Amino acid sequence: MRRRALLACATSAPFAFAGEPPPADVEFARDVLPLLRDSCLDCHAGAEPAASLALDRCLDEAGARATAGIWRRVRDKLERGEMPPPDAPAADEALLAAAQRWLDVRLGTGPGSWPLDPGRVTLRRLSRFEYAFSVRDLLELPLPLAEKLPPDEVGYGFDTIGDVLSLSPLLLEKYAALAEEIAAAALPGATLRTARTQSFTGANQLQTTLDRSYGGDEFVSLYSNGSAFADIELPRAGEYVVRARLQGDQAGPEPCRFALTARAEGADGRRATELLRGEVAEERPAEVEREWRGQLPGGRLRLAVAFLNDYYQADAADPGERDRNLLVRSLAIEGPLDPFPATASERRFFPCGGDHAHTRACARAALERTAARAWRRPVSALELERLLAQVDGALAAGDSLDEALRLALATLLVSPNFLFRSELDAAPEDPTAVRPLTGHELASRLSYFLWSSLPDERLSTLAEQGLLREREILAEEARRLLKDARAESLVTQFAAQWLQLRSLATVAPDPQAFPTFDDALRESMRLETELFVDAVFREGRPLSELLDGDFTFVDERLARHYGIAGVTGPAMRRVRVTDRARRGLLGHASLLTLTSNPTRTSPVKRGKFVLERLLGAPPPPPPPGVGALEDSPEASAAATLRERLAAHRSKPDCAGCHVKMDALGFALERFDPVGAWRDRDGPHPVDDRGTLPDGRALAGAADLAEVVLEGDAFTRCFAEQLLTFALGRGLLDDDRRAVHALVARYRGKSPTFEQLVVDLIGLDGFVRRRGEAQGR
């Protein structure tokens, strides 16, 4: 990263923005250059500068402006006390103060600051979850669509990043197939309202549970207790008539007895519902028909006739009394027979009522309204005429109006206007133009940020009226959206990716070492973290409670794992956490399991997680050729994990990063690889102490939470993660400048989630965009 910034420093000119020149009360030559010469250039200069950071190539205001990202990192390191390094002479306090003031002014957002680039978002395809939620809200159709689409690529930690959301021909075909499926489910029309008969005759169409099948085209012979059956698909739940044509080979003291049953797909075969029980007293070739009428569920169903009283006496004197058999000639089902009102999707789609007596005028209004919502903007007359031309073409070909509208709806859903979120530049002749978003673009940004779905009617109306661009109205709408149930997506989409919680589904702790870990416990771990984060977000709690909140959610299984008494049953319930080490996310088994290896904990993974996800200071990738830690049983018995990591850390290429990571990770060593408390690691006592780079000591998870919450680093990191998710792109240095200035206004007080959201959507990066030209 620094090497790329260094090249930019040597070759780039400042990005051109209109604005007043900075005031003369801060000057690079006067305020920064003396500190560089006194404390920095001895190491960060020449052909091989320390950390590849050559500050001698940016020694004037223009060069500094071109590389604002370098100076933002310099400021962060000064604030954390990492520059100058501990083994170097201390910097002159007056020089430090002057440089710090220059940094605060230039990298701030007030008078004298460098103008901010609002950035631009690549044309963004909907993620698979955004696609599913958008269809749900557009048509009131909660289909499991995300499961039918391949996982999206991830960039900057999230699957909402425009640069990686490509559209391959194969994926486009999948969208086309899904669009037809959605249209059929949303506008069933006559499909759910017209009775039809499904009939199955003889052994060629009916199946049997017996080893052999006799009868051919005419019947299935049940020569022993067993069943003849047919698997059918019913369009919906409703009233049906089932008919069975039967014959009997009579023998013994009683007639053939049978049961007519139905079993829904996925149900236990031993729990089939008995529809009718009866007997066939007639002797073949006489034939009887037995009928049942009643309610059946929709979907796949197995209809069966079971033979209940087989009889066989091979030595009976009368040959006609030796063998009783049931012959099933056919099974048939007719329906649905009951009236069926308009579905929720049909009521949402059609503006002309739910009586299903729709006209072309009604179809036109339906398509115009649905397309406007789906495409998140008004529909032009030409676009509407193209959709109506499809309807007219289908009608001319003999399709019903329902069938024609399904075709138009599928077309609407596979259109780039639905699949992509577009923000068209207003002045393409000026590639550097910065403009405010339109009301509809802003509505789309806000709803996909907070709901991962399209704007509702109120938001779209405010956008159309031009009111949404007023800051107070935008803030009011954000608060409204946060109170809606759909804001749950901030937990399942944002928080689950910020905390890497989705990876919990694939972690595999060693079953011999941790036999209590199973899928039920895995699910409880996930639910705990989701419910906890949701509570902090929705209840107006300070974001600091993500790390020191004194409550959590457990069921009996997870409570036993944590050693919490008094919790029974499978329901998740809120409990108070009295153990400070278990408070907040750092005590959650989900994250502790995610950051472990299958057989042992990993202070490196846990420390990296803290640096990257909670402090916004990710370590660089390990240098090539660095060997793995020795994890054999012999090595584990001979030395503690701390001792083995110390040997690894002694390598010069590894020491710099491990000094930061390991101390943070060791603070969580009291938790085993599945997040349970422990005092020993095999034969060795657990040591959860560590020393931070500044020399301070910490011991345990409670100390670690305090360290993470010091200053503004956690709030700033969280805000940057949330803004990345909201914008659908990686942050520019100017975005980070804006976030830094925003967080500084909190003056060390942790904001609530709602407060942070409202403040973030007021930033230039959210409400404005730049044209095509490449920024810094």
Side-chain angles (χ1 to χ4, degrees):
M1 179 67 74
R2 286 176 173 170
R3 187 171 291 113
R4 290 196 295 272
L6 172 61
L7 291 173
C9 177
T11 62
S12 297
F15 190 83
F17 281 94
E20 295 296 323
D25 61 343
V26 291
E27 297 177 5
F28 186 91
R30 183 191 68 199
D31 300 326
V32 180
L33 203 53
L35 178 67
L36 296 183
R37 288 170 174 163
D38 184 71
S39 300
C40 304
L41 295 181
D42 287 346
C43 298
H44 296 288
E48 296 183 2
S52 300
L53 183 62
L55 297 178
D56 60 337
R57 303 181 192 180
C58 300
L59 297 181
D60 57 28
E61 192 82 36
R65 174 70 180 99
T67 55
I70 288 180
W71 297 101
R72 180 184 58 79
R73 288 190 287 275
V74 168
R75 178 186 60 186
D76 292 346
K77 286 183 175 294
L78 287 174
E79 289 181 351
R80 292 196 296 264
E82 297 177 4
M83 289 180 67
D87 56 354
D92 180 272
E93 292 293 334
L95 297 181
L96 267 177
Q100 187 67 57
R101 183 169 183 274
W102 180 89
L103 289 166
D104 288 343
V105 170
R106 291 291 189 255
L107 298 180
T109 57
S113 62
W114 290 324
L116 290 171
D117 174 6
R120 64 182 299 274
V121 181
T122 305
L123 181 71
R124 276 187 52 193
R125 174 176 61 79
L126 299 182
S127 74
R128 62 189 180 120
F129 292 104
E130 290 172 335
Y131 178 90
F133 296 157
S134 297
V135 170
R136 174 200 65 192
D137 295 340
L138 177 68
L139 298 168
E140 292 194 28
L141 201 63
L143 297 174
L145 299 175
E147 302 170 9
K148 300 182 179 184
L149 290 166
D152 294 304
E153 295 293 328
V154 173
Y156 304 101
F158 298 102
D159 63 5
T160 56
I161 304 301
D163 289 343
V164 299
L165 287 169
S166 58
L167 180 60
S168 67
L170 189 61
L171 183 56
L172 183 57
E173 289 182 14
K174 186 67 176 177
Y175 278 130
L178 279 179
E180 293 178 353
E181 178 183 332
I182 294 164
L187 304 177
T191 303
L192 300 185
R193 297 173 176 85
T194 303
R196 68 186 185 97
T197 300
Q198 302 178 63
S199 183
F200 306 86
T201 302
N204 292 334
Q205 295 181 356
L206 289 166
Q207 303 177 67
T208 178
T209 59
L210 301 181
D211 293 337
R212 292 170 294 170
S213 179
Y214 298 108
D217 291 335
E218 297 183 3
F219 57 81
V220 170
S221 175
L222 297 180
Y223 52 84
S224 182
N225 286 350
S227 299
F229 64 89
D231 290 326
I232 61 173
E233 183 88 27
L234 299 184
R236 64 169 173 89
E239 183 181 4
Y240 292 85
V241 172
V242 180
R243 299 182 179 91
R245 291 169 51 227
L246 308 172
Q247 293 178 311
D249 290 333
Q250 306 296 339
E254 59 185 23
C256 299
R257 301 191 185 279
F258 74 93
L260 181 63
T261 65
R263 176 167 63 88
E265 184 179 53
D268 187 332
R270 293 169 296 179
R271 298 179 62 85
T273 299
E274 186 174 296
L275 308 179
L276 174 70
R277 183 179 286 255
E279 61 184 40
V280 178
E282 292 81 358
E283 179 74 41
R284 183 166 50 154
E287 176 185 309
V288 299
E289 182 176 88
R290 298 291 185 257
E291 178 181 297
W292 173 89
R293 179 186 291 259
Q295 295 289 319
L296 287 175
R300 290 192 62 80
L301 202 70
R302 174 165 292 184
L303 283 180
V305 174
F307 183 28
L308 302 178
N309 62 336
D310 182 40
Y311 176 88
Y312 182 68
Q313 291 291 338
D315 56 354
D318 183 352
E321 291 293 325
R322 292 176 182 172
D323 191 11
R324 181 189 301 141
N325 302 307
L326 181 68
L327 283 67
V328 181
R329 298 190 67 86
S330 69
L331 264 176
I333 182 167
E334 180 185 359
L337 303 174
D338 52 331
F340 192 71
T343 65
S345 297
E346 288 173 318
R347 290 193 298 271
R348 171 62 66 89
F349 183 81
F350 289 107
C352 46
D355 62 358
H356 207 66
H358 305 305
T359 64
R360 189 182 183 284
C362 176
R364 179 189 181 90
L367 286 174
E368 183 174 17
R369 186 174 70 169
T370 304
R373 284 210 67 207
W375 296 351
R376 304 169 285 274
R377 58 168 176 77
V379 180
S380 71
L382 178 60
E383 289 170 327
L384 180 58
E385 287 306 318
R386 285 172 177 168
L387 290 172
L388 289 169
Q390 282 201 313
V391 173
D392 292 338
L395 292 173
D399 289 343
S400 68
L401 181 58
D402 287 324
E403 291 169 327
L405 285 172
R406 281 197 287 270
L407 175 62
L409 178 57
T411 301
L412 183 156
L413 292 174
V414 83
S415 165
N417 293 309
F418 177 69
L419 297 177
F420 288 87
R421 291 170 52 194
S422 61
E423 296 171 355
L424 301 179
D425 295 322
E429 69 279 1
D430 180 2
T432 68
V434 173
R435 68 169 178 86
L437 297 181
T438 68
H440 290 288
E441 290 170 343
L442 195 52
S444 185
R445 276 201 183 186
L446 186 64
S447 67
Y448 278 97
F449 172 25
L450 302 183
W451 287 350
S452 294
S453 184
L454 43 74
D456 64 2
E457 290 185 11
R458 174 180 169 83
L459 204 56
S460 297
T461 299
L462 290 171
E464 185 67 20
Q465 294 170 343
L467 297 175
L468 197 59
R469 290 165 61 178
E470 296 182 15
R471 179 171 175 77
E472 288 305 315
I473 292 180
L474 180 64
E476 180 184 333
E477 284 303 292
R479 296 187 185 99
R480 179 180 70 85
L481 267 60
L482 284 171
K483 291 180 174 64
D484 191 279
R486 283 168 284 190
E488 179 189 14
S489 67
L490 285 163
V491 175
T492 61
Q493 303 307 308
F494 164 69
Q497 295 184 84
W498 165 51
L499 298 173
Q500 301 174 337
L501 201 58
R502 291 179 180 177
S503 298
L504 187 64
T506 58
V507 297
D510 186 296
Q512 293 185 334
F514 307 103
T516 61
F517 184 87
D518 55 21
D519 286 341
L521 182 58
R522 186 199 310 269
E523 178 67 5
S524 298
M525 290 176 176
R526 181 187 65 80
L527 284 173
E528 176 196 20
T529 301
E530 289 185 352
L531 290 169
F532 174 76
V533 171
D534 186 68
V536 174
F537 284 5
R538 287 184 181 272
E539 294 175 7
R541 296 174 175 273
L543 289 174
S544 59
E545 288 202 19
L546 289 169
L547 296 180
D548 64 8
D550 63 355
F551 67 97
T552 194
F553 295 83
V554 294
D555 57 10
E556 181 178 355
R557 186 78 174 79
L558 189 58
R560 186 165 64 249
H561 188 68
Y562 286 165
I564 298 175
V567 177
T568 58
M572 300 295 289
R573 65 203 66 186
R574 189 169 184 150
V575 297
R576 182 174 176 80
V577 177
T578 56
D579 182 358
R580 290 182 65 241
R582 188 62 85 172
R583 288 182 177 178
L585 292 171
L586 293 173
H588 281 209
S590 59
L591 304 187
L592 294 163
T593 303
L594 279 171
T595 52
S596 295
N597 291 332
T599 59
R600 64 164 176 84
T601 59
S602 175
V604 174
K605 287 183 179 179
R606 289 176 174 178
K608 181 176 181 290
F609 179 89
V610 171
L611 285 172
E612 184 176 83
R613 300 276 113 185
L614 305 182
L615 291 173
V626 175
L629 196 67
E630 177 59 55
D631 265 343
S632 67
E634 296 76 17
S636 299
T640 67
L641 179 57
R642 180 182 292 270
E643 291 167 343
R644 284 178 281 145
L645 273 173
H648 182 78
R649 197 164 54 241
S650 65
K651 301 174 183 178
D653 289 342
C654 304
C657 294
H658 279 278
V659 166
K660 300 177 184 178
M661 288 190 295
D662 293 2
L664 303 176
F666 274 120
L668 300 173
E669 271 296 278
R670 291 284 177 186
F671 300 113
D672 74 7
V674 292
W677 186 264
R678 63 178 182 175
D679 293 311
R680 302 189 69 81
D681 180 11
H684 309 293
V686 169
D687 183 358
D688 61 0
R689 296 170 298 171
T691 303
L692 297 172
D694 63 4
R696 287 184 297 162
L698 78 160
D703 277 6
L704 177 58
E706 290 182 3
V707 167
V708 174
L709 289 174
E710 285 179 355
D712 293 335
F714 172 70
T715 303
R716 192 161 60 241
C717 173
F718 183 88
E720 289 181 355
Q721 295 282 341
L722 190 59
L723 187 59
T724 300
F725 176 81
L727 295 179
R729 62 168 172 79
L731 298 189
L732 305 175
D733 285 314
D734 283 353
D735 295 319
R736 292 187 171 89
R737 283 175 54 202
V739 168
H740 191 284
L742 168 64
V743 172
R745 294 203 298 269
Y746 298 142
R747 300 183 183 279
K749 183 179 179 181
S750 181
T752 66
F753 182 74
E754 180 185 286
Q755 181 182 1
L756 181 61
V757 166
V758 168
D759 289 341
L760 286 178
I761 64 173
L763 296 180
D764 263 14
F766 192 86
V767 299
R768 295 162 64 84
R769 68 174 270 118
R770 171 173 42 78
E772 294 285 343
Q774 181 64 44
R776 293 181 303 282

